[in-house]
């Protein structure tokens, strides 16, 4: 959570109090009108609902100084299955998943550039590393990106197929399936034709990511120039990366 606040522009963040299940942060942000402070209650993924007790709410309110704080929890938290109830029980002014918090604060008006898609696309099957056949590769890969299947403990995947068999086409369809601004997902697709001409000229990895952001977002200036924000958006699953053309 501290990294998220830093990526969003906090010039300082203090851990005011913490327990096994939560951490209370206070951050200072620089704005055109001067410094502004914010209070954030981060609920760890293991936080049980019983932590939202009257005693804890009173404690968190006193820590904030003004009685107001924002509740944030990881996407995997069961408490987000009923966010309105959780907000009431934990006393927050607002409640967000980490992904939604980033979208609201950094990408509120952002839009994804649509990937070019083929009119006729035969959905291929997918064979995972242990030999199992998974039908409908776009569905399986979408579920994996969203951490919703039994492959979700793997953070990097490599799709192997012969040249000309449709990997780029599949990547474009995958980007379209993943695109969901309402849930804070903005897939970053870097196609081989976009990077192969510049890769041999001593181009840095940072320059490749800058190109990818420019090709994927309609308003890339909100992300460019802030490497901390880019890394955090990737880490939190806001920017799932699809890199095409490794063959």
């Amino acid at each position: 959570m501290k990294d998220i606040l830093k990526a969003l522009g906090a010039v300082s963040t203090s851990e005011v109090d913490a327990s096994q299940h939560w951490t209370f942060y206070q951050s200072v942000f620089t704005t055109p009108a001067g410094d502004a402070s914010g209070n954030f209650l981060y609920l760890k993924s293991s936080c049980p609902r019983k932590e939202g007790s009257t005693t804890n709410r009173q404690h968190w309110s006193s820590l904030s100084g003004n009685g107001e704080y924002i509740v944030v929890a990881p996407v995997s938290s069961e408490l987000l299955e009923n966010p309105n109830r959780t907000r009431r029980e934990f006393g927050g002014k607002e409640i967000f998943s980490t992904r939604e918090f980033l979208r609201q604060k950094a990408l509120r008006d952002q839009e994804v550039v649509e990937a070019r898609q083929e009119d006729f696309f035969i959905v291929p099957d997918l064979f995972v590393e242990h030999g199992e056949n998974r039908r409908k590769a776009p569905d399986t890969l979408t579920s994996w990106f969203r951490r919703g299947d039994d492959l979700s403990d793997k953070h990097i995947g490599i799709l192997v197929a012969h040249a000309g068999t449709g990997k780029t086409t599949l990547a474009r369809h995958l980007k379209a399936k993943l695109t969901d601004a309402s849930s804070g997902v903005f897939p970053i697709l870097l196609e081989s034709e976009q990077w192969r001409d510049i890769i041999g000229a001593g181009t840095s990895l940072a320059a490749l990511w800058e190109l990818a952001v420019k090709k994927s977002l309609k308003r890339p200036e909100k992300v460019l120039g802030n490497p901390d924000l880019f890394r955090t958006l990737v880490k939190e699953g806001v920017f799932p990366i699809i890199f095409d053309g490794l063959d």
Side-chain angles (χ1 to χ4, degrees):
M1 184 62 189
K2 204 168 185 178
D3 290 342
I4 292 176
L5 293 169
K6 179 182 177 182
L8 292 175
V11 295
S12 67
T13 297
S14 302
E15 184 179 304
V16 181
D17 198 3
S19 79
Q20 177 185 354
H21 300 295
W22 53 264
T23 305
F24 196 94
Y25 295 98
Q26 285 184 336
S27 296
V28 176
F29 300 85
T30 299
T31 72
D35 288 348
S37 61
N39 302 298
F40 306 93
L41 174 63
Y42 179 71
L43 306 179
K44 301 175 184 179
S45 58
S46 61
C47 182
R49 192 168 291 282
K50 66 180 182 180
E51 284 293 297
S53 64
T54 300
T55 300
N56 276 344
R57 286 197 303 273
Q58 291 173 345
H59 179 55
W60 298 325
S61 181
S62 66
L63 291 176
S64 70
N66 59 7
E68 293 186 352
Y69 52 91
I70 293 174
V71 178
V72 183
V75 175
S76 59
S77 173
E78 294 181 359
L79 294 174
L80 293 175
E81 294 177 3
N82 191 335
N84 290 330
R85 177 185 173 188
T86 300
R87 186 194 61 77
R88 290 193 305 269
E89 293 177 348
F90 285 79
K93 180 182 178 182
E94 298 176 282
I95 183 169
F96 299 100
S97 69
T98 49
R99 187 177 296 168
E100 176 65 11
F101 184 63
L102 282 162
R103 185 188 77 83
Q104 285 282 346
K105 304 303 179 183
L107 303 168
R108 183 186 295 272
D109 301 318
Q110 192 57 262
E111 294 180 73
V112 175
V113 176
E114 293 184 7
R116 185 172 73 255
Q117 297 187 54
E118 302 295 334
D119 292 332
F120 302 100
F121 174 57
I122 299 175
V123 178
D125 288 348
L126 185 71
F127 292 88
V128 296
E129 59 184 350
H130 50 70
E132 182 182 349
N133 184 1
R134 301 287 183 94
R135 299 189 63 82
K136 298 184 178 179
D139 292 342
T140 297
L141 293 171
T142 298
S143 179
W144 174 70
F145 267 104
R146 290 176 176 166
R147 311 284 176 92
D149 73 356
D150 58 351
L151 302 177
S152 60
D153 61 329
K154 309 295 192 300
H155 299 290
I156 297 176
I158 301 176
L159 179 66
V160 180
H162 293 296
T165 56
K167 294 188 297 298
T168 297
T169 300
L170 176 58
R172 293 169 180 166
H173 279 263
L174 178 59
K175 176 182 177 179
K177 287 183 70 67
L178 282 171
T179 300
D180 185 1
S182 64
S183 65
V185 176
F186 299 82
I188 303 297
L189 170 61
L190 186 58
E191 296 188 23
S192 58
E193 64 182 32
Q194 297 170 346
W195 63 266
R196 280 183 173 168
D197 291 339
I198 66 172
I199 194 66
T203 302
S204 66
L205 183 60
L208 284 177
W209 293 139
E210 181 175 323
L211 174 64
V213 170
K214 287 180 177 178
K215 294 290 186 179
S216 298
L217 303 180
K218 291 185 178 180
R219 284 178 284 277
E221 65 279 356
K222 294 192 174 185
V223 178
L224 297 178
N226 189 340
D228 286 336
L229 177 59
F230 179 79
R231 283 193 293 269
T232 302
L233 291 168
V234 173
K235 179 182 177 182
E236 294 296 327
V238 180
F239 279 1
I241 302 293
I242 307 170
F243 196 96
D244 172 49
L246 290 177
D247 58 346

